[in-house]
Amino acid sequence: MSEKRYFRQQNPFIVPTTDGKLIEEHIGYASTGTGEYSVAHMVAPPQWSEPHQRPEFDEVTIVVRGRKRFEIDGDVVELGAGESLLIKAGARVRYSNPFDAECEYWSVCVPAFSPATVNREEEQA
């Protein structure tokens, strides 16, 4: 019998964080060793943000609940539940949830998210 042509993820990799954000990688380097793409479920707490970055991968964000702010090459975009956004590789982007409620969303990266290719900037004091 041949190998199955599907994979059922029942135990996503929980990425350790120090900022209160939940990251559950369902498919990607950390969870399945997949480098072609990654899929992660996330919940960003109120008033959360991270430094600017210039990823070497395309990223699609789909907001399920709450709102999320994106600063992309000088533009500001805010998404609400049911909306999605594609950010192309090489864009300078900063993700945040400056609102008073959690933001739940899914992220798909092509190729897969990697700390080595996200290119986060140092935070300004």
Side-chain angles (χ1 to χ4, degrees), residues 16-31:
T17 64
T18 59
D19 60 4
K21 182 179 175 186
L22 170 67
I23 305 173
E24 299 173 313
E25 185 186 270
H26 285 256
I27 307 293
Y29 282 118
S31 58

Side-chain angles (χ1 to χ4, degrees), residues 15-69:
V15 178
T17 64
T18 59
D19 60 4
K21 182 179 175 186
L22 170 67
I23 305 173
E24 299 173 313
E25 185 186 270
H26 285 256
I27 307 293
Y29 282 118
S31 58
T32 60
T34 304
E36 295 81 14
Y37 53 88
S38 59
V39 179
H41 171 252
M42 300 184 218
V43 179
Q47 309 308 316
W48 166 85
S49 69
E50 60 186 24
H52 283 91
Q53 53 194 315
R54 202 176 288 272
E56 298 173 28
F57 46 80
D58 291 352
E59 184 166 1
V60 174
T61 300
I62 304 165
V63 176
V64 175
R65 176 173 52 90
R67 295 188 302 172
K68 186 174 179 188
R69 179 176 292 165

